Each structure stands twice: as structure tokens, then as C-alpha cells.
Amino acid sequence: MIVRIMGEGQTEIDPSDLDVLNALDGELEAAIEAGDEEAFRACLHDLLDKVRHVGRALPDDSLESSELILPPADASMEEVREMLGDEGLIPG
Amino acid sequence: MSVMKRLSMIFRSKANNALDKMEDPRETLDYSYQRQLELLQKVRRGVADVATSRKRVELQINQIEAQSRKLEEQGRKALGVGREDLAREALTRRSSLQTQIADLRVQHDNLQAEEEKLTTASHRLQAKVDSFRTRKETIKATYTAAEAQTRINEAFSGISEEMGDVGLAIQRAEDKTASMQARAGAIDELLASGALDDFSGQRGDDIQAELDRMGGGHDVELEIARMKAELGQGPAPKSAIESGPPQQHQQPQQHQQPQQSPQTQQYRQPGEGL
């Protein structure tokens, strides 16, 4: 399956790695709900590091859509909240 | 629902909304390609804007560093003529400039990182746009509604997602650069107007004025006196000006403990009154 890390591009990961990613994603979500910026940053970096570690980068000219999309590494918790909100930060 | 699933749904729904607006899929492809070219232009402009801001900050760092070196030199000169109070004042001002320089360096590094990210995004998008154009022409050439619709959706979703990603990167870079530019503009004004003594190499340089007043050709006199001493025509020159500032007692010799410096005028710190 294909995962996009915003600002970095897409990587292909093996479905067997999904459980670990889901667990980390759950922690990220909990940090956002708790409003804990420090925990959010740690969880986000753990999640992105894991994706980079297990994933294989897709070539720049591929035109695949991603099944999962992750916020950029330097995103703040507030930015991610806005992305997930009704208005959304994502243009287009 | 998890963060990554929700984000991907948001992207997908945006792509679907755009697709739904078009009746003929071939129109969608052409329209999408035009939008991609526009975005590419915008990304390139964004990279240029960030690079311009970075260069501007570099210039400011150089200007303030020059002023800092000048103050250091003045401090050394003031000590040389036995005016520890002036030297202290010059070095105090230099210290606040060093803080400004450190702050500007952080801003510079941020802008450089932003520039690199946008350049990478620009290359990635360029490759995807080229790929999309090839696929678009192939689909249009072999167009039959049912078969092509799926391929159009795939191609469109792929590029639409990339555009959303790059679009966000541009938006964030613009925000960061706008605040940086406002700050840089304020520092430019201070540098130009001399509103802050600390930044003004041109005006209000009271330390230099005082040194000039005391010096008043003294360097030449010292040089002449030194030459005379070498030639045995007179006593060795004193290395410090005898008289201190007005209303001051005689300055201590350099090997003595320094006295408390006199009360000096309060100077505005960088950033005040911005």
C-alpha cells in the first residue's frame, strides 16, 4: 500500500507493517485530542520514522494515489487540527 | 478515525469534487493539466521569493556584523587611549548586535530549509506533471468512456493529491516568508534611518565622535613622538591620553584596577519600538 508523507513524497509499505503504523497513529490521535504538543511531536516523528524505515520511495513520476496520508514532519499540532477540520488547510 | 485515514479521505474527496464538476473526462484532463502548469509557476515563484528573503537576511547579517566589528575596533581604540568607560559602552552595544546576528542566523537557516523543501517539491511536481501529460494524451487518443474513466480517475487522483501536497507546502512557505519579510523590512528601516543607535553606522555614533574629539590628530602626534624617541630627539610618547572625559578624574593607568564606569545614557535595545 502507498503512504504519502506530505512534503516528502510517497512510499510503498508492506501491509504487514500496517499494524505498527496504526498503533503509532492511534497514539498521535490521542496526543491531538489531549492537546499535548510535546507528545504530538514525539508520536508524529516516531510514525514518520517508521514509515521511512519500512517504506520504499516511489519514483517522482509515478501517478498513484495514496491510501494513507501523513502530515509533514514540521507540522504543528494546530496545523494538523486545521487539516483535519471541515475547512482543511489542503488547497485544491 | 485515525489521522492518516482522515487526511487521505480529505484529499480524495477534494479530487472527487473536482472530477464531478466536469462532464467530459477529456475536459477534466486538460483543465487539470492547466492547473498543474499554473501551480508549477507558483512553486517556482515561491522558491524565488524565499531565496530573495534569504539573501536579504544574509545582507542584513553582513551589515550588522560590519557594525559589530566597528564597535569592537572602537572598544579597542578607546581602551588604548585609557577610556575604559567608552570601551565598555562600545562592547555593550556590540553584545546586543551579536544577539541580533544570532537571531537572524536562525531565521536564515529556516528560510534555507524552506527553500530546499520547495525546490524538492518543485522537482517532484515537474516529474509528475510530465508524466500526467503523457498519460493524458494517451487516454485522450484512445478514449472510450467506460474504459478511460477509470484511468482518468487514477491519473487525476494521483496528480491532484500531489498538487494538494505541494500547494500546502507553498502556502506554509508563503506564511513563513511573509512574517520574515515584515521583520526584515523593519530591520532595514532601522539600518537605514539610524533609529537605533546600535544599528546605526552612519549617524549618532557618539563613541566615534568622542574618540575623534579626543584623537583630533593625536594618532599623528603619537607617531611623530614615537619617531622622535627613536631618533633620540625627545621622550618616549605616552600611550594614553592624559585627560579623561570632561568632569572626570584622571584615568587610571592600564595596569591598575578599572574604576566603575560612569553612568551612561540608556540606549534603546534592538527590537524596541518595532
Side-chain angles (χ1 to χ4, degrees):
Chain A
M1 68 188 325
I2 294 167
V3 179
R4 172 181 295 277
I5 298 176
M6 292 179 74
E8 290 180 38
Q10 294 169 296
T11 57
E12 191 165 15
I13 59 162
D14 193 279
S16 63
D17 291 312
L18 196 57
D19 287 346
V20 182
L21 296 184
N22 276 331
L24 290 168
D25 190 27
E27 288 173 27
L28 179 69
E29 195 179 17
I32 294 173
E33 279 170 12
D36 186 342
E37 180 84 39
E38 210 169 307
F40 161 82
R41 188 135 309 284
C43 292
L44 179 61
H45 284 184
D46 286 350
L47 181 53
L48 297 182
D49 285 345
K50 187 70 186 171
V51 170
R52 291 184 197 114
H53 179 69
V54 301
R56 185 185 58 82
L58 252 61
D60 281 348
D61 60 356
S62 70
L63 277 176
E64 312 288 335
S65 57
S66 311
E67 279 183 66
L68 300 170
I69 295 180
L70 287 165
D74 61 347
S76 68
M77 191 168 66
E78 197 47 48
E79 270 184 313
V80 174
R81 270 213 189 99
E82 282 183 54
M83 282 182 207
L84 299 172
D86 288 340
E87 293 306 304
L89 272 182
I90 299 135
Chain B
M1 195 189 289
S2 78
V3 173
M4 46 191 188
K5 285 201 183 91
R6 273 156 70 190
L7 264 181
S8 55
M9 275 181 64
I10 289 166
F11 270 96
R12 210 165 292 137
S13 72
K14 282 180 183 287
N16 289 341
N17 286 347
L19 272 171
D20 290 346
K21 285 178 189 165
M22 299 289 172
E23 286 182 8
D24 184 343
R26 286 169 296 185
E27 253 180 54
T28 311
L29 293 173
D30 285 331
Y31 169 75
S32 173
Y33 183 63
Q34 285 309 313
R35 283 204 50 217
Q36 289 161 37
L37 293 180
E38 284 165 21
L39 180 61
L40 259 178
Q41 282 300 317
K42 201 178 172 191
V43 174
R44 291 195 184 115
R45 274 201 305 273
V47 174
D49 283 350
V50 174
T52 304
S53 293
R54 177 182 53 77
K55 283 174 188 157
R56 190 176 184 183
V57 172
E58 274 172 22
L59 273 174
Q60 289 183 335
I61 290 172
N62 291 342
Q63 279 177 287
I64 297 175
E65 274 181 338
Q67 178 64 5
S68 173
R69 281 194 299 272
K70 183 181 169 186
L71 282 165
E72 187 182 3
E73 194 50 46
Q74 286 177 336
R76 194 173 285 118
K77 198 169 178 182
L79 265 182
V81 297
R83 287 294 305 276
E84 193 174 319
D85 58 318
L86 266 186
R88 195 175 297 279
E89 179 58 36
L91 294 177
T92 303
R93 293 187 197 182
R94 178 177 172 269
S95 169
S96 67
L97 288 189
Q98 292 296 332
T99 308
Q100 274 296 325
I101 289 168
D103 191 26
L104 283 170
R105 282 197 198 287
V106 171
Q107 301 282 4
H108 176 268
D109 292 348
N110 286 343
L111 285 171
Q112 195 157 37
E114 215 58 49
E115 191 182 342
E116 282 164 11
K117 267 194 287 185
L118 282 183
T119 305
T120 305
S122 165
H123 292 157
R124 215 175 59 208
L125 185 64
Q126 177 71 65
K128 281 204 166 32
V129 169
D130 291 345
S131 170
F132 184 88
R133 188 188 56 223
T134 307
R135 207 174 293 193
K136 162 177 95 83
E137 292 309 321
T138 309
I139 293 169
K140 280 169 72 180
T142 61
Y143 183 77
T144 59
E147 178 206 349
Q149 188 64 56
T150 310
R151 293 164 63 200
I152 285 171
N153 286 355
E154 283 170 6
F156 189 85
S157 308
I159 195 76
S160 165
E161 190 185 298
E162 186 69 27
M163 284 167 70
D165 182 2
V166 173
L168 180 67
I170 280 286
Q171 200 172 307
R172 296 171 92 227
E174 279 174 352
D175 290 348
K176 285 183 187 176
T177 310
S179 67
M180 185 62 236
Q181 279 175 336
R183 185 190 160 77
I187 292 177
D188 277 346
E189 280 177 33
L190 292 171
L191 284 165
S193 70
L196 285 176
D197 285 341
D198 281 349
F199 288 159
S200 169
Q202 314 302 318
R203 298 170 44 191
D205 194 341
D206 46 339
I207 293 177
Q208 192 58 49
E210 179 74 0
L211 284 169
D212 289 349
R213 185 188 64 74
M214 292 169 61
H218 186 71
D219 288 349
V220 175
E221 293 304 321
L222 267 180
E223 203 57 35
I224 287 171
R226 190 174 292 116
M227 286 176 179
K228 279 183 174 176
E230 283 169 10
L231 295 168
Q233 294 174 4
K238 291 191 166 63
S239 60
I241 288 181
E242 295 288 323
S243 56
Q247 296 97 37
Q248 264 203 323
H249 301 301
Q250 188 152 334
Q251 291 298 304
Q253 294 299 314
Q254 288 185 38
H255 63 269
Q256 290 177 331
Q257 285 300 311
Q259 293 176 344
Q260 284 287 81
S261 61
Q263 192 70 22
T264 52
Q265 177 193 344
Q266 287 299 305
Y267 291 89
R268 262 199 288 168
Q269 291 301 301
E272 267 188 34
L274 290 180

